[in-house]
Amino acid sequence: MSDLWQNAMDHAVAIARKSGELVREALRDDRKVMTKSSSIDLVTKTDQKVEQLIIQSVREKFPSHRFIGEESVAAGETCDLTDTPTWIIDPIDGTTNFVHAFPFVAVSIGFYVNKQSEFAVVFSCLEDKMFTARRGGGAFCNGEPLQVSDQEDVRQSIIATEFGSNRDVEAVDKIFSSLRNILCLPVQGVRSAGTAAINMCLVASGCVEAYYEIGVHVWDVAAASLIVSEAGGVLMDVDGGAVDLMSRRIIAANNRTIAENLVKEIESFSPTRDDTPPPQVNHY
Ligand SMILES: O=P([O-])([O-])O[C@@H]1[C@H](O)[C@H](O)[C@@H](O)[C@H](O)[C@H]1O
Ligand SMILES: [Mg+2]
Ligand SMILES: [Mg+2]
């Protein structure tokens, strides 16, 4: 039987590759930086250009599809996931890395229908690694199948996490307290690639056992979630419940045992959800 979404997935791979070329060129010539919610929440013209490139090209081919894009939401678009086919785009995951030429930067494209992930593309464009997954069809890197690590012992694991862009002291204290608990289990190592999508692809590749973060956004994790689950991994909320992509909290792990070990050590908190409507402005 032919795959209903094959065309769309082929387009996602092609446009992610083209976007990656744009990112690589910009890395050489143009990394002028602007800020969004705070002085450490960075955006560049390249983030905006890449998002426009992806949305325009998809719109031409699939005019009825919808979008959730990081830079469109920053510009005031809503962040609602409906049953309509929806492309969830992070044009540059790892903007801070991009600005500093720290060599991990990804273009992330998730595709959801009836709120279910159908396919995913994460292009780690400086490593030239194209991660893909199709629901029920497995996960791949440059065409090679991916499989999570089979490690069951958290003490023999590497855990990835990030510090995000929240510098609120209470949140930072909780982030450090969780990190301290996990380091002292002890685990064999803690790593940060500087991009949520690549951290999750490292889980899918079996290089790290798990990744967790509080403060991510839906566009950071929408694609890589399918790549992790199709590589045999699990997704969990930091409190141990089912993951909710709009909640800005995630554990992506090789198996439930490792994920549940992390749940015990993480001091959870709840950032403002991605699907919270912006405050109403009254024009009297
Ligand atoms: O802003 P951006 O570079 O697309 O995405 C960020 C990166 O994935 C970072 O590693 C993570 O810690 C943040 O939570 C994300 O928002
Ligand atoms: Mg991101
Ligand atoms: Mg981004």
Side-chain angles (χ1 to χ4, degrees), residues 110-214:
F111 179 74
Y112 284 66
V113 183
N114 296 323
K115 303 190 184 76
Q116 174 166 259
S117 184
E118 287 291 346
F119 66 76
V121 176
V122 170
F123 184 39
S124 176
C125 48
L126 306 181
E127 300 180 286
D128 204 17
K129 288 185 176 172
M130 182 69 76
F131 293 91
T132 55
R134 174 74 180 98
R135 183 169 63 87
F140 299 85
C141 176
N142 293 344
E144 294 296 317
L146 297 176
Q147 180 63 48
V148 293
S149 144
D150 60 6
Q151 184 57 253
E152 296 266 342
D153 182 354
V154 75
R155 287 168 189 79
Q156 293 187 52
S157 299
I158 291 186
I159 307 299
T161 189
E162 294 287 336
F163 303 96
S165 55
N166 188 346
R167 297 294 182 269
D168 170 65
V169 175
E170 269 180 38
V172 171
D173 280 347
K174 288 194 171 166
I175 288 167
F176 272 87
S177 162
S178 307
L179 192 57
R180 178 184 181 281
N181 294 346
I182 289 166
L183 263 175
C184 295
L185 277 168
V187 293
Q188 286 186 339
V190 170
R191 300 286 183 270
S192 294
T195 115
I198 292 181
N199 284 321
M200 290 171 73
C201 288
L202 289 169
V203 174
S205 306
C207 310
V208 307
E209 274 63 35
Y211 158 72
Y212 74 92
E213 186 174 345
I214 301 178

Side-chain angles (χ1 to χ4, degrees), residues 261-283:
N261 270 284
L262 297 185
V263 166
K264 284 189 214 136
E265 309 303 334
I266 294 172
E267 268 206 49
S268 72
F269 58 97
S270 298
T272 309
R273 294 175 58 83
D274 278 330
D275 53 5
T276 306
Q280 292 275 307
V281 181
N282 291 320
H283 299 286

Side-chain angles (χ1 to χ4, degrees), residues 70 90 92-96 162-164 194-196 213 215-217 220:
E70 175 176 14
D90 190 341
I92 298 186
D93 189 41
T95 299
T96 308
E162 294 287 336
F163 303 96
T195 115
E213 186 174 345
V216 283
H217 293 278
D220 297 313

Side-chain angles (χ1 to χ4, degrees), residues 2 16 30 48 54 68 83 85 107-108 127 141-142 160 165 171 180 182 193 216 236 247 253 257 268:
S2 73
D30 178 16
Q48 294 164 341
I54 297 172
I68 294 176
D83 288 345
V107 177
S108 173
E127 300 180 286
C141 176
N142 293 344
S165 55
R180 178 184 181 281
I182 289 166
V216 283
M236 205 180 265
S247 73
T257 310
S268 72

